[in-house]
Amino acid sequence: MELPVVNHEDYFAKIGDDHKFPINKFGELANYLTQNKIVKKFHKPSACSFETLSYAHSKNYILDIQNKTLSKEGVKKIGFPLVDSVVQRSLVATGGTVLASKLAINYGISCNTAGGSHHASYDGGAGYCVFNDVAVASHYLLNRGLANKILIVDLDVHQGNGNSEIFKDNLDVELEDNLEDDAYIKTLKHYLKELNQENFDFVFYIAGVDIHFNDRLGKLKISDEGIQLRDELVVENFFSRRIPFCGVLGGGYNKDFNKLVELHSMLHQSCAKYIGS
Ligand SMILES: [Zn+2]
């Protein structure tokens, strides 16, 4: 069976080529996944509805994004210009994680090609995150009785401050600076072992690749192989326990753009490996 992967051409918002955020990565990642035959056809999400967004965000904040009336300070905290394509991108990327979570219930495993906007909180966005897609999708599953105990494994290098505010049940590992592969993988194995003592019935995995040694915003020293091993360990751990698993992108700001795309694709490659086995 082919891994269900969610993608939308609107993930690639027009924020200007000189913007610090590597927004082109979303388009290039989709190309990479089809060219390397990891995905034949993407599942296309629709924009997340107001009602679903309101599970995790205040009505005023959602309206301020939809109507582009957010305060200057609020926009500055997000870091993207509040233009139509950014509004649309935020809505479809969030709808994308909701769709991916439903696909994970149906197929056991799925991925989005965006998502992991873990800095967005109930009342506002921050750090390139407008809506907290994982928190929104978590509430969606809980409200419909599709899951009861959700785990968020957040391995982005940054702390998911929005998740911990909106959604309490989560693993967000804080690591010391300059950690290298061996120590990182050892810590990860330890955490996974602890998590396996508990009975989760759904897992979101935020697979940020800003743990890479060449990342502009990271502080760890993880290699390509370290990231691949991390993703495989996490996917294998939950897939072998038959816990529905939904992988989302998380951050990545590698100095080498092609490398960035390749590193993000490791999530999808790891998931595809297990669904095919
Ligand atoms: Zn990050």
Side-chain angles (χ1 to χ4, degrees):
M1 193 175 70
E2 187 180 306
L3 174 72
V5 179
V6 177
N7 177 260
H8 196 294
E9 60 273 14
D10 290 345
Y11 284 1
F12 169 27
K14 286 148 204 77
I15 54 171
D17 284 342
D18 52 350
H19 198 278
K20 281 199 296 274
F21 187 89
I23 195 102
N24 296 354
K25 72 181 182 182
F26 298 105
E28 283 310 310
L29 174 62
N31 291 340
Y32 186 96
L33 293 175
T34 45
Q35 276 161 14
N36 289 283
K37 302 194 168 46
I38 299 155
V39 181
K40 278 194 217 99
K41 196 169 181 292
F42 291 107
H43 293 255
K44 197 169 176 176
S46 45
C48 193
S49 72
F50 188 92
E51 192 203 335
T52 301
L53 285 171
S54 69
Y55 298 155
H57 293 285
S58 72
K59 295 196 162 123
N60 283 341
Y61 175 60
I62 303 166
L63 287 172
D64 273 341
I65 294 296
Q66 287 181 332
N67 301 331
K68 295 180 285 168
T69 50
L70 190 68
S71 70
K72 246 189 190 160
E73 301 81 69
V75 175
K76 203 174 157 204
K77 258 182 88 183
I78 291 172
F80 290 136
L82 192 53
V83 294
D84 288 338
S85 69
V86 169
V87 174
Q88 173 65 4
R89 173 188 196 284
S90 309
L91 293 170
V92 286
T94 309
T97 298
V98 173
L99 174 59
S101 72
K102 289 192 279 184
L103 291 166
I105 298 275
N106 289 336
Y107 296 95
I109 191 164
S110 73
C111 293
N112 196 355
T113 50
S117 299
H118 63 170
H119 296 305
S121 61
Y122 184 72
D123 257 339
Y128 306 130
C129 301
V130 179
F131 296 123
N132 195 318
D133 56 298
V134 169
V136 170
S138 295
H139 286 291
Y140 179 92
L141 296 178
L142 293 170
N143 287 354
R144 277 168 180 69
L146 295 169
N148 292 303
K149 195 170 183 204
I150 297 175
L151 170 69
I152 301 171
V153 178
D154 187 347
L155 297 185
D156 188 282
V157 79
H158 304 102
Q159 290 295 102
N161 45 323
N163 279 346
S164 47
E165 187 194 306
I166 301 172
F167 204 82
K168 304 280 183 248
D169 243 349
N170 90 67
L171 170 76
D172 192 352
V173 185
E174 190 163 21
L175 299 162
E176 55 200 90
D177 292 2
N178 297 315
L179 207 62
E180 294 182 12
D181 284 13
D182 288 352
Y184 181 82
I185 294 297
K186 202 176 148 202
T187 310
L188 176 62
K189 282 183 175 166
H190 168 79
Y191 276 112
L192 290 174
K193 212 170 154 191
E194 275 189 5
L195 289 170
N196 290 338
Q197 309 299 315
E198 292 188 59
N199 287 317
F200 296 99
D201 59 7
F202 196 94
V203 179
F204 283 102
Y205 173 38
I206 303 179
V209 296
D210 43 15
I211 61 168
H212 193 260
F213 68 88
N214 205 27
D215 195 89
R216 282 189 287 116
L217 303 182
K219 52 181 184 170
L220 302 187
K221 298 269 174 290
I222 309 303
S223 70
D224 300 15
E225 293 75 23
I227 290 181
Q228 189 177 353
L229 186 54
R230 173 196 71 168
D231 288 350
E232 286 180 0
L233 278 171
V234 172
V235 177
E236 207 274 329
N237 183 71
F238 297 104
F239 190 73
S240 65
R241 285 176 173 70
R242 308 245 175 269
I243 305 172
F245 183 96
C246 178
V248 298
L249 227 57
Y253 316 90
N254 209 284
K255 290 170 192 160
D256 176 343
F257 180 78
N258 292 330
K259 177 59 73 184
L260 174 61
V261 172
E262 186 194 322
L263 293 175
H264 274 309
S265 80
M266 286 176 180
L267 165 69
H268 309 84
Q269 298 197 54
S270 303
C271 291
K273 185 170 148 186
Y274 287 101
I275 205 166
S277 64

